């Protein structure tokens, strides 16, 4: 079992919503920064959103700004990705990523910044 686990994926129609969760398998594990990434078949992995857990500063890819919201529950160290107004092009496997609590992440939307990855949760949006 990995250190991070995603849940909440599913199939929805365009315009619908889903909320993804990223939960650490060790409840006390806190990443300095948590990112959400996605990868569609035949495409490269791309950043979706990220959040610094210390100050709640968040970052978004242009393609999801205004539709997706990243947030956290500090009581459970869970990071959420609320996805609204979903489009067929949002269809992908979604992964959350994190790192050690003392790791300095300088590019939150850069996948190379993270050492811990979940197994992914599938999101399918039909037209």
């Amino acid at each position: 079992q990995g250190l991070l686990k995603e849940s909440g994926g599913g199939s929805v129609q365009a315009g619908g919503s889903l909320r993804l969760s990223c939960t650490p398998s060790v409840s006390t594990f806190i990443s300095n920064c948590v990112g959400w990434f996605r990868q569609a078949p035949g495409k490269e992995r791309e950043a979706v959103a990220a959040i610094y857990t210390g100050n709640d500063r968040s970052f978004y890819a242009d393609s999801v700004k205004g539709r997706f919201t990243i947030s956290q529950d500090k009581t459970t160290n869970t990071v959420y990705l609320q996805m609204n107004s979903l489009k067929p092009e949002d269809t992908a496997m979604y992964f959350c990523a994190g790192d050690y609590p003392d790791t300095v992440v300088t590019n939150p939307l850069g996948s190379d910044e993270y050492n811990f990855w979940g197994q992914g949760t599938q999101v399918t949006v039909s037209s």
Side-chain angles (χ1 to χ4, degrees):
Q1 182 180 359
L3 193 57
L4 300 174
K5 181 176 176 60
E6 305 92 340
S7 62
S11 298
V12 295
Q13 291 190 327
S17 299
L18 285 172
R19 188 178 78 159
L20 306 184
S21 299
C22 176
T23 305
S25 57
V26 178
S27 61
T28 55
F29 180 79
I30 304 172
S31 291
N32 179 36
C33 189
V34 175
W36 282 99
F37 296 81
R38 67 187 182 186
Q39 187 166 20
K43 294 187 177 181
E44 293 187 355
R45 182 170 56 192
E46 63 175 354
V48 176
I51 186 168
Y52 281 120
T53 58
N55 60 15
D56 284 327
R57 187 179 175 191
S58 58
F59 307 83
Y60 296 93
D62 288 342
S63 59
V64 306
K65 282 181 181 176
R67 300 188 298 123
F68 292 10
T69 303
I70 191 170
S71 63
Q72 61 174 330
D73 180 346
K74 292 187 176 182
T75 64
T76 60
N77 297 327
T78 298
V79 173
Y80 299 100
L81 184 68
Q82 178 67 43
M83 306 186 296
N84 298 329
S85 302
L86 282 162
K87 305 175 181 179
E89 51 263 44
D90 293 318
T91 295
M93 184 72 78
Y94 283 69
F95 302 88
C96 68
D99 213 311
Y100 293 104
D102 58 352
T103 297
V104 177
V105 175
T106 57
N107 179 20
L109 295 180
S111 61
D112 292 344
E113 297 275 355
Y114 301 95
N115 283 310
F116 302 124
W117 292 80
Q119 295 296 309
T121 186
Q122 178 67 37
V123 171
T124 302
V125 184
S126 57
S127 57

